[in-house]
Amino acid sequence: MKIAALMLALTLGQSFPPYVRSHVEERDPSTQCLFWTVPKIAWYQSSAGNPRTQPAGTEFDAVRRSFQRWQAIFSQCGNLSFEEGGLVDEREVGYLPNGENRNLVLFRTKRCMDVAPENAECWEDQSCNNTYDCWGHKKGVDDRLTIAVTFTTYDTNSGIIYDSDIELNAVNYHFTTMDSPVCMPPLITTDCVSTDIQNTMTHEIGHLIGLDHTDDRLAESTMRPSAQTGELTKRTIDSGSASYVCAAYPQGKPSQACIHPVTPPELGPKAAGCAAAGAQAWLPALVGWALLLARRRGGARS
Ligand SMILES: [Zn+2]
């Protein structure tokens, strides 16, 4: 099975739907939407956490708060609940045919290009992240601009999700949990907001439950694909993204597919990457901003 780290492109249309569902084929509404059918989604965190989080050791609670925000909406109008499974030593993402397939959250702290040999087989099937416990999914592709990736494994016929794991890029991002003030690059200190974990995770959990990116012009959407240094707005789930929970996972009813009938299983992988862009004079982030704009414009023309 191949796992691809995709930078999801934007589709700029005339209208601005409050949320966009993920499909079996990216942005192809003729294919089934992705959704869970289980009453409980158990999730786990890697016990390794992120040694560089500021303040130290606060990443675990920040991740919990992100799930709790979504849980609050599911409690109001949804048909499933999140269950924290605790800390585990596991370091592999994606669907493991013979594994336990826990829905795992973990931080990668090493670059694959630094730790995986150039001729390693894992580059072929983009599995070096698992083999070498590192960040970087494709040989020669610069992953510095991606804050996190959600790997979702689903049935390609029915869209039913079986497993979803979240990797955070602790190689290139300084993860924090403070509420203020915003770090002013390049003077990142220990007492400011750089890349907020809850902000990042609330967005990634949106992918985990089947949301795709919204139009970037929906400035307050949790599912907007970019984030700037110091951003906290995605911690609060916008009303559009919240309405997805009620519509796709209606309380007392089955989860809603987009195309019927739902046909039997054939597993497929999916990965959603999320890009970041800093607003200040932080060179890599400024480069990222330019790249993102170029991709958006390309999407608008096609
Ligand atoms: Zn994303």
Side-chain angles (χ1 to χ4, degrees):
M1 181 191 318
K2 288 192 175 181
I3 293 173
L6 303 174
M7 185 83 72
L8 291 180
L10 286 172
T11 302
L12 302 183
Q14 297 296 314
S15 59
F16 307 97
Y19 65 83
V20 179
R21 291 186 69 166
S22 293
H23 288 266
V24 165
E25 297 294 336
E26 189 181 340
R27 297 270 168 178
D28 182 354
S30 71
T31 63
Q32 191 58 272
C33 288
L34 307 189
F35 60 102
W36 292 86
T37 55
V38 292
K40 270 188 186 167
I41 299 176
W43 61 274
Y44 299 79
Q45 295 196 66
S46 163
S47 57
N50 175 35
R52 293 195 279 263
T53 299
Q54 292 293 338
T58 56
E59 63 271 25
F60 301 106
D61 277 343
V63 170
R64 284 184 191 110
R65 287 194 295 275
S66 309
F67 277 100
Q68 285 161 2
R69 286 286 172 97
W70 284 106
Q71 178 60 57
I73 298 166
F74 274 98
S75 296
Q76 285 174 10
C77 66
N79 67 4
L80 60 80
S81 59
F82 288 109
E83 180 179 77
E84 182 177 359
L87 304 182
V88 292
D89 293 336
E90 197 172 316
R91 297 293 294 171
E92 289 192 46
V93 298
Y95 189 77
L96 312 171
N98 302 312
E100 288 203 48
N101 290 299
R102 297 183 176 113
N103 303 301
L104 182 66
V105 178
L106 80 171
F107 294 80
R108 300 286 194 198
T109 59
K110 297 175 288 190
R111 292 193 308 172
C112 290
M113 57 189 293
D114 290 340
V115 295
E118 202 169 323
N119 59 355
E121 277 186 24
C122 60
W123 290 115
E124 298 298 320
D125 62 0
Q126 297 168 25
S127 63
C128 288
N129 56 335
N130 282 338
T131 308
Y132 291 92
D133 190 2
C134 56
W135 177 262
H137 307 93
K138 287 182 185 171
K139 197 172 190 175
V141 171
D142 188 348
D143 281 339
R144 285 179 302 172
L145 305 176
T146 304
I147 302 173
V149 176
T150 300
F151 294 86
T152 298
T153 303
Y154 57 90
D155 173 315
T156 53
N157 289 319
S158 67
I160 293 171
I161 299 172
Y162 288 90
D163 180 76
S164 192
D165 305 305
I166 298 170
E167 271 188 359
L168 293 98
N169 176 3
V171 177
N172 301 106
Y173 293 93
H174 180 73
F175 284 107
T176 59
T177 59
M178 303 271 296
D179 296 332
S180 66
V182 175
C183 296
M184 297 300 288
L187 300 175
I188 292 178
T189 69
T190 56
D191 299 318
C192 57
V193 186
S194 183
T195 300
D196 182 66
I197 292 174
Q198 190 180 340
N199 192 71
T200 305
M201 279 299 303
T202 307
H203 174 96
E204 297 304 322
I205 297 166
H207 288 314
L208 180 147
I209 60 173
L211 279 170
D212 204 338
H213 291 143
T214 55
D215 189 306
D216 207 25
R217 283 174 282 186
L218 282 173
E220 299 302 315
S221 175
T222 297
M223 297 314 295
R224 196 167 59 91
S226 59
Q228 300 193 17
T229 299
E231 184 186 283
L232 298 176
T233 53
K234 291 185 180 68
R235 284 184 181 181
T236 303
I237 298 166
D238 62 292
S239 58
S241 299
S243 70
Y244 162 73
V245 171
C246 316
Y249 299 97
Q251 205 155 51
K253 295 178 183 171
S255 304
Q256 300 294 297
C258 293
I259 302 166
H260 294 281
V262 167
T263 45
E266 183 183 322
L267 291 179
K270 186 180 183 71
C274 305
Q280 294 88 19
W282 195 16
L283 189 59
L286 285 171
V287 169
W289 190 240
L291 283 172
L292 282 169
L293 286 174
R295 288 181 185 208
R296 282 176 203 136
R297 286 172 189 149
R301 282 195 296 269
S302 61

